[in-house]
Amino acid sequence: MSKNAWVTLATNDSYSLGALVVAHSLKRVHTVHQLAVLITPGVSEAMRTKLRNVFNLVEEVNLLDSKDEANLALLKRPELGITFTKLHCWRLTQYEKCVFLDADTLVLRNSDELFEREELSAAPDIGWPDCFNSGVYVYRPSLETFASLLQFAVTNGSFDGGDQGLLNAYFSEWAHKDIQKHLPFVYNTSSVATYSYLPAFKQFGHNTKILHFIGVSKPWLQNFNSETRKVYVPSECYHLANFLQYWWDIFCEDVHSRLSPDMCGLAGALAQLHLGEAKSVEQEAYEEHMRRQCWETGNIDYMGRDSFDNIWRRIQQTLNAGSAGGASDAATTATTSTTSTVVTVAPARSTRSPRSRSSTPKRDARDRSPTPQPEDKVPVEKKEGN
Amino acid sequence: MSKNAWVTLATNDSYSLGALVVAHSLKRVHTVHQLAVLITPGVSEAMRTKLRNVFNLVEEVNLLDSKDEANLALLKRPELGITFTKLHCWRLTQYEKCVFLDADTLVLRNSDELFEREELSAAPDIGWPDCFNSGVYVYRPSLETFASLLQFAVTNGSFDGGDQGLLNAYFSEWAHKDIQKHLPFVYNTSSVATYSYLPAFKQFGHNTKILHFIGVSKPWLQNFNSETRKVYVPSECYHLANFLQYWWDIFCEDVHSRLSPDMCGLAGALAQLHLGEAKSVEQEAYEEHMRRQCWETGNIDYMGRDSFDNIWRRIQQTLNAGSAGGASDAATTATTSTTSTVVTVAPARSTRSPRSRSSTPKRDARDRSPTPQPEDKVPVEKKEGN
């Protein structure tokens, strides 16, 4: 068995959908290397079970429970929680070399040759190309490097508030020292490259090996027709249509049957789909609500009014009452009710990265950091009655 | 005297404003190298005189009049006219090494160390970072390379219809062979980097040595208060404010006094300004019209209805008639009148690059190719009576 591994990270059940698709995209291109996923407490027990079926290693990273140096570092710089989560990949010293893949990537062709590169190899970031994008990188697990990264983070922080800023500051020689550490862009082709320089995408895009769905183009946020198994592609994502459909093809063929309704957020909702059949009205309404949340910039009240139970109850009340407004109205109304139920409604958080917090819509659209928000401060319980 | 030169290109009087500011920005940082500018027939005689005062070399590139291999190549691929214009920089064999700078760049710090790099050195393009941006590049003049480039262009065309696509296809080893040929991004900092990855711009932007005003953020398209000498910075260009003001500072201190009213387009209009005094109403209206044209996507009728004389006449008619609508109405009305006067109204063409022709507004905003449209098919005459 290979001593190398592909490593990804899932902080909730929705990002776990991405992680599962990444894993299956790797299996489809017959990688010889192992698959590992880091998870945080935000991932449900049901999802963990499924992840274990697909990944060689499922490793929980629970900063708040740990009493080690990572925790001590975090106490000094609590705003770096997200950043620290990703750094834990350096602790996987059972592997000789790893390639980290964000859960919003999709492997289109066998890329095992990446393991021939040395730490830290990565592709340029489309927003400031003397920085690398931290969605795909080759690294060598090492407790020493991990400790050094932590110390660096505590001392210097992160210029973008996320892992990308930290890693670029730490591996600051990347830009100018060794061309071998510049991965070709086709190993981390940003989905926004389809419009940032369309002629180049048309010229080189067919060589893409790993696509990175950055910003708001996450595949699981697109509307999906369970009857035809086709994704609805927004006009502005036209050039991504094949990639988005491929993601949903893998979802339908390899992931969907492994889901269960006691998963959280969108994963639980999608588990209830019957592929080849039209969605129920409730299903349609619930999914629509989950997705719309992801596009909104306001704060979601995970603790109360936006809990799954409240949304579901309001949808059914509204449908039962025969409201003409239907699903859309119901979901909207639901956000104004309040209870104390504690539920994970994951996708809304998972799409808001540190960078997008203070950004304009224009910058949102180009936001590339896929690292989800930390789960640590949000109590997580399984939703009831599903 | 240095055997090296900074080289730029101006295809009309408006772009010549940019070329003059580039030249003075180089003089302000005490470059030891020579300054050369390639011009096309679109540059007026008055402007040529001024360019000769500032540049060591003013070289006309007139494809249509030439009977050489460039012309023969062009006849086979007439759509590559723009591309071919820029390639002529390889013919400046009186220099040992050159750095090409687009006329929409601005040198902020001495960058003479660029001449230590070899052909072809350039910085990554922000839209597809395995391509270099052709706004700044180090090259070695050579008739052999020129001929080879021409042959390549005729055989392969350009994947983006401009010089950048051609040069990237020709120097295709750039991305992966030699890190020394990757100029740091601070030698060609794209003006859109201010929003494409703002935290990186805040972290590294202060190191910028050469700024590149790509897309619609051209300094000469911004409104300028001649009384206070301050540029009005649109809110979306907030982070460019200092750079835009520096461009206008150079314009006021080093360029404006060299302009004359018999120059074409915006250059002729700006020549009539009295710095330190408020603009006349006619001046304001005319400048506004010139600038507004640059933002419109429709075709401009350079031959007739949009000619300087027609616009000017209509502005004065409208003002004389005491129209409440004033300048704006006048300029709009002018575009519907028709005569056969032939006049260069330059800025409108100069801001529309090959890439932007078929692009959406989103892509327009990120369009980086500064190469102006070819002048060849547009008869050029000095405007009369000004």
Side-chain angles (χ1 to χ4, degrees):
Chain A
M1 185 175 266
S2 168
K3 293 189 172 183
N4 298 332
W6 300 93
V7 180
T8 186
L9 167 68
T11 54
N12 56 47
D13 282 10
S14 299
Y15 261 81
S16 295
L17 294 177
L20 285 166
V21 171
V22 168
H24 284 288
S25 74
L26 284 161
K27 287 173 185 277
R28 284 179 176 223
V29 297
H30 308 296
T31 180
V32 301
H33 302 298
Q34 294 194 56
L35 307 180
V37 58
L38 302 175
I39 59 168
T40 61
V43 178
S44 70
E45 268 309 317
M47 183 59 88
R48 290 171 192 222
T49 304
K50 303 305 174 184
L51 289 169
R52 285 190 200 101
N53 291 339
V54 178
F55 287 88
N56 300 94
L57 177 77
V58 179
E59 180 96 348
E60 187 176 68
V61 177
N62 190 344
L63 286 176
L64 288 189
D65 286 351
S66 71
K67 299 283 175 255
D68 61 7
E69 59 186 333
N71 190 31
L72 293 175
L74 186 61
L75 290 175
K76 292 184 200 163
R77 300 290 297 250
E79 80 283 9
L80 293 176
I82 312 155
T83 307
F84 281 41
T85 304
K86 201 165 178 177
L87 298 188
H88 280 260
C89 71
W90 263 272
R91 297 174 89 172
L92 301 178
T93 51
Q94 58 268 62
Y95 305 116
E96 281 186 2
K97 204 185 281 184
C98 294
V99 177
F100 188 92
L101 295 178
D102 272 342
D104 53 359
T105 59
L106 180 63
V107 179
L108 306 176
R109 300 170 180 214
N110 186 297
S111 303
D112 284 355
E113 64 275 13
L114 284 179
F115 290 89
E116 296 163 18
R117 305 263 181 164
E118 290 304 322
E119 173 175 287
L120 187 289
S121 293
D125 186 90
I126 201 166
W128 186 276
D130 271 6
C131 289
F132 55 84
N133 182 285
S134 63
V136 177
Y137 57 86
V138 184
Y139 74 99
R140 193 174 282 277
S142 152
L143 293 180
E144 201 172 315
T145 306
F146 177 69
S148 174
L149 275 163
L150 279 188
Q151 186 55 52
F152 185 89
V154 170
T155 308
N156 301 285
S158 164
F159 69 75
D160 69 354
D163 58 274
Q164 182 160 307
L166 173 66
L167 291 173
N168 271 280
Y170 185 85
F171 295 102
S172 60
E173 288 182 335
W174 175 86
H176 309 305
K177 191 171 182 194
D178 181 0
I179 196 76
Q180 286 302 312
K181 294 186 177 174
H182 280 229
L183 297 183
F185 190 57
V186 291
Y187 287 104
N188 187 0
T189 302
S190 162
S191 54
V192 304
T194 55
Y195 65 82
S196 63
Y197 188 6
L198 183 60
F201 177 76
K202 287 182 173 172
Q203 181 78 0
F204 305 113
H206 63 275
N207 298 324
T208 297
K209 295 196 159 198
I210 302 176
L211 191 82
H212 190 174
F213 294 102
I214 66 175
V216 294
S217 61
K218 304 277 180 275
W220 55 88
L221 299 187
Q222 311 307 315
N223 274 310
F224 170 70
N225 183 329
S226 59
E227 191 170 3
T228 62
R229 296 181 171 83
K230 298 295 177 199
V231 62
Y232 295 109
V233 180
S235 59
E236 68 272 19
C237 296
Y238 170 74
H239 292 285
L240 295 174
N242 287 346
F243 302 122
L244 288 168
Q245 186 59 52
Y246 184 54
W247 192 96
W248 281 97
D249 288 347
I250 295 178
F251 173 83
C252 290
E253 293 163 27
D254 300 336
V255 174
H256 177 257
S257 65
R258 297 169 186 269
L259 301 181
S260 66
D262 52 347
M263 290 173 177
C264 295
L266 197 59
L270 293 173
Q272 298 169 51
L273 285 179
H274 296 280
L275 298 179
E277 296 175 19
K279 289 177 198 175
S280 71
V281 182
E282 290 96 336
Q283 182 69 32
E284 192 90 61
Y286 178 54
E287 272 188 50
E288 173 58 26
H289 174 78
M290 301 298 285
R291 292 204 174 86
R292 186 148 31 80
Q293 277 198 333
C294 304
W295 293 80
E296 287 167 0
T297 52
N299 287 319
I300 308 296
D301 178 7
Y302 308 108
M303 311 296 285
R305 64 186 182 191
D306 292 331
S307 76
F308 178 88
D309 301 278
N310 289 332
I311 297 162
W312 195 253
R313 195 181 309 126
R314 284 293 301 159
I315 288 169
Q316 292 196 316
Q317 281 174 5
T318 308
L319 290 170
N320 290 343
S323 160
S328 174
D329 284 357
T332 308
T333 314
T335 63
T336 61
S337 66
T338 317
T339 79
S340 61
T341 314
V342 178
V343 165
T344 301
V345 181
R349 268 177 296 146
S350 66
T351 56
R352 300 188 62 240
S353 74
R355 271 193 227 164
S356 66
R357 281 185 193 164
S358 62
S359 63
T360 65
K362 193 174 231 168
R363 273 178 260 137
D364 269 334
R366 293 187 41 78
D367 175 48
R368 283 157 279 72
S369 173
T371 310
Q373 301 282 321
E375 302 286 312
D376 309 321
K377 290 172 189 167
V378 184
V380 176
E381 295 180 9
K382 278 166 52 180
K383 62 185 188 292
E384 297 161 9
N386 287 288
Chain B
M1 187 175 264
S2 168
K3 293 188 170 181
N4 298 331
W6 299 93
V7 180
T8 188
L9 167 68
T11 54
N12 55 47
D13 283 10
S14 298
Y15 261 80
S16 297
L17 294 178
L20 286 166
V21 171
V22 169
H24 283 287
S25 74
L26 284 161
K27 287 173 186 276
R28 284 178 175 224
V29 297
H30 309 295
T31 181
V32 300
H33 303 296
Q34 294 194 57
L35 306 181
V37 60
L38 302 175
I39 60 168
T40 62
V43 177
S44 70
E45 270 308 318
M47 183 59 87
R48 291 170 191 225
T49 304
K50 302 305 173 187
L51 289 170
R52 284 188 201 101
N53 291 339
V54 177
F55 287 87
N56 300 94
L57 177 77
V58 179
E59 181 94 349
E60 187 177 68
V61 176
N62 190 345
L63 287 176
L64 289 188
D65 286 352
S66 71
K67 298 285 175 252
D68 60 7
E69 57 187 334
N71 191 29
L72 293 174
L74 186 60
L75 290 175
K76 292 184 201 165
R77 301 289 297 251
E79 80 282 10
L80 293 176
I82 311 154
T83 306
F84 281 41
T85 304
K86 200 164 179 177
L87 298 188
H88 279 259
C89 71
W90 263 272
R91 297 174 89 169
L92 301 178
T93 52
Q94 58 269 62
Y95 304 117
E96 283 187 0
K97 203 185 284 183
C98 295
V99 177
F100 188 92
L101 296 178
D102 272 342
D104 53 0
T105 59
L106 179 63
V107 179
L108 306 176
R109 299 171 180 212
N110 186 299
S111 303
D112 284 355
E113 64 275 15
L114 285 178
F115 290 88
E116 296 163 17
R117 305 262 180 165
E118 290 304 323
E119 175 175 286
L120 185 290
S121 293
D125 187 89
I126 201 165
W128 186 276
D130 272 6
C131 288
F132 55 84
N133 182 284
S134 63
V136 176
Y137 56 89
V138 183
Y139 74 100
R140 194 174 281 278
S142 152
L143 294 181
E144 202 172 312
T145 307
F146 177 69
S148 174
L149 275 164
L150 278 187
Q151 187 54 52
F152 184 89
V154 171
T155 307
N156 302 285
S158 165
F159 69 75
D160 69 354
D163 59 273
Q164 183 159 309
L166 173 66
L167 291 173
N168 271 280
Y170 185 84
F171 295 103
S172 61
E173 289 182 334
W174 176 85
H176 309 305
K177 192 170 181 195
D178 181 0
I179 196 73
Q180 286 303 312
K181 293 185 176 174
H182 281 230
L183 297 184
F185 191 57
V186 292
Y187 287 105
N188 187 359
T189 302
S190 162
S191 54
V192 302
T194 55
Y195 65 82
S196 64
Y197 189 6
L198 182 60
F201 178 76
K202 287 183 173 173
Q203 182 76 2
F204 305 113
H206 63 276
N207 298 323
T208 297
K209 293 195 160 198
I210 303 177
L211 190 82
H212 190 174
F213 294 102
I214 67 175
V216 294
S217 61
K218 303 278 181 273
W220 54 88
L221 300 187
Q222 311 307 315
N223 273 310
F224 170 71
N225 184 330
S226 60
E227 191 170 4
T228 62
R229 295 179 171 84
K230 298 295 176 198
V231 61
Y232 297 109
V233 180
S235 58
E236 67 272 19
C237 297
Y238 170 74
H239 292 285
L240 295 174
N242 288 344
F243 303 122
L244 289 168
Q245 185 58 51
Y246 183 55
W247 191 96
W248 280 99
D249 287 347
I250 295 178
F251 173 83
C252 290
E253 294 163 25
D254 300 336
V255 174
H256 176 258
S257 64
R258 298 167 187 270
L259 301 181
S260 67
D262 52 347
M263 291 174 177
C264 295
L266 196 60
L270 293 174
Q272 297 168 53
L273 285 179
H274 296 279
L275 297 179
E277 295 176 18
K279 290 177 197 173
S280 72
V281 182
E282 290 96 338
Q283 182 70 31
E284 191 89 62
Y286 178 55
E287 272 188 49
E288 173 59 24
H289 174 79
M290 300 299 283
R291 292 204 175 87
R292 186 149 29 80
Q293 280 196 332
C294 306
W295 293 82
E296 288 166 359
T297 52
N299 288 319
I300 307 297
D301 178 7
Y302 309 106
M303 312 296 285
R305 64 185 182 191
D306 292 332
S307 75
F308 178 87
D309 301 277
N310 289 332
I311 297 162
W312 195 254
R313 196 181 309 122
R314 284 295 302 160
I315 288 170
Q316 293 195 315
Q317 281 174 6
T318 307
L319 290 170
N320 291 342
S323 160
S328 173
D329 283 356
T332 307
T333 313
T335 62
T336 61
S337 67
T338 318
T339 80
S340 61
T341 314
V342 178
V343 165
T344 300
V345 181
R349 270 176 296 145
S350 64
T351 57
R352 299 190 61 243
S353 75
R355 271 195 227 162
S356 67
R357 278 184 193 164
S358 62
S359 63
T360 64
K362 195 175 231 169
R363 270 177 263 137
D364 268 337
R366 293 186 44 76
D367 174 49
R368 281 158 279 73
S369 173
T371 311
Q373 301 282 321
E375 303 287 311
D376 309 324
K377 291 172 188 169
V378 184
V380 175
E381 294 180 7
K382 278 167 49 181
K383 63 183 187 294
E384 297 161 10
N386 288 286

